[in-house]
Amino acid sequence: MSQFSIYFVRHGQTIFNVFNRMQGWSDSPLTDQGKKTAKQVGQELAHVDFAHYYSSDSKRAMDTAQLIKAGAGKADAELTTLASFREEFYGYYEGDDSSRTWSLVGKEYGVTSLHELLDHISIERTKDLMHELDPFHEAENNQTYWERVNHGFDYLKAHHDSHEKILIVTHGTTIRSIVSHFGPEFDISQGPKNGSLTRLDIDGDQVKVLSYAEELTE
């Protein structure tokens, strides 16, 4: 059975992050702060001997991963993109004002943010609610989302073993969702900050969350 460790890092700050926009499969460039954070993360993790570097196929994640590699002095290391670890797809609400979107999804609870909504319902339920509310019903529901993410874990299990360490640059809600699924004892109401680290150990079908949203930079 495959045994390896995953270091999940949330991408650096983007323009949509600054403007509080829904950023799932839509994308926006890293800010100067986002680029700086990514390089600092690379420096902080330079001592870790990663067997491979991965990112989602969103440009903000790929750019962050390249900057992490450069910061670690490993700019020439191979980077593989995995669509399975994209952010949640928000469908009709992609690019919308986040407060407006969450006030619609969480109307029953009088909230204006995912953080507030998670005080009332699970992150799994938020996906189903958004899918139902989406007038095109294109936003990912929980089942569709996890079929995609599980495919990514299957890929990693087929390619890694021997207690290897791998780094994956991914996204805030994806990290929250993975931790909720495999480490329900962790409080995910506060989202992982840009550049933060979440660690998992994989042992066959067993997944253990070791840490969540550890901040590596100031």
Side-chain angles (χ1 to χ4, degrees):
M1 294 194 298
S2 297
Q3 292 181 318
F4 59 98
S5 298
I6 301 175
Y7 287 57
F8 281 116
V9 174
R10 186 186 174 198
H11 63 79
Q13 182 192 69
T14 68
I15 290 174
F16 271 18
N17 290 152
V18 173
F19 295 152
N20 196 35
R21 295 278 169 178
M22 300 295 292
Q23 188 174 221
W25 289 11
S26 61
D27 215 347
S28 68
L30 296 179
T31 63
D32 288 343
Q33 179 60 45
K35 295 173 184 176
K36 178 182 176 182
T37 296
K39 291 177 183 176
Q40 289 177 336
V41 169
Q43 293 165 2
E44 291 296 321
L45 296 178
H47 65 285
V48 183
D49 184 20
F50 289 115
H52 204 88
Y53 291 85
Y54 293 95
S55 77
S56 84
D57 60 348
S58 297
K59 190 173 188 298
R60 62 189 184 274
M62 292 188 285
D63 288 351
T64 298
Q66 295 289 7
L67 289 165
I68 288 173
K69 292 196 295 126
K74 299 172 183 176
D76 294 334
E78 184 180 358
L79 174 68
T80 300
T81 59
L82 295 176
S84 295
F85 290 105
R86 285 180 185 175
E87 182 58 292
E88 177 180 339
F89 181 49
Y90 299 120
Y92 177 76
Y93 300 102
E94 287 282 335
D96 198 4
D97 178 82
S98 293
S99 297
R100 175 182 178 275
T101 296
W102 291 117
S103 67
L104 291 171
V105 176
K107 183 178 181 181
E108 177 181 350
Y109 307 100
V111 302
T112 59
S113 68
L114 176 58
H115 164 63
E116 293 174 318
L117 186 54
L118 289 175
D119 286 337
H120 302 278
I121 60 175
S122 69
I123 198 167
E124 293 79 13
R125 180 60 182 149
T126 68
K127 295 175 175 56
D128 292 338
L129 277 178
M130 187 171 290
H131 174 77
E132 293 164 10
L133 189 64
D134 182 346
F136 295 91
H137 300 298
E138 290 291 336
E140 285 183 300
N141 62 21
N142 192 58
Q143 179 180 341
T144 301
Y145 174 84
W146 271 102
E147 286 173 355
R148 168 167 67 83
V149 173
N150 280 330
H151 182 75
F153 278 105
D154 289 343
Y155 175 92
L156 296 175
K157 290 174 185 177
H159 288 79
H160 295 286
D161 199 359
S162 304
H163 301 284
E164 291 176 329
K165 296 179 175 65
I166 61 173
L167 183 140
I168 303 176
V169 178
T170 183
H171 307 269
T173 302
T174 288
I175 292 170
R176 275 175 152 171
S177 300
I178 289 169
V179 172
S180 174
H181 189 74
F182 294 114
E185 68 275 14
F186 285 86
D187 178 11
I188 62 159
S189 61
Q190 296 290 344
K193 292 185 178 180
N194 297 105
S196 64
L197 172 66
T198 296
R199 292 179 56 201
L200 276 66
D201 272 354
I202 311 296
D203 186 353
D205 292 332
Q206 301 298 312
V207 180
K208 181 177 178 59
V209 180
L210 301 179
S211 66
Y212 170 66
E214 178 186 351
E215 294 182 37
L216 300 176
T217 62
E218 296 181 358

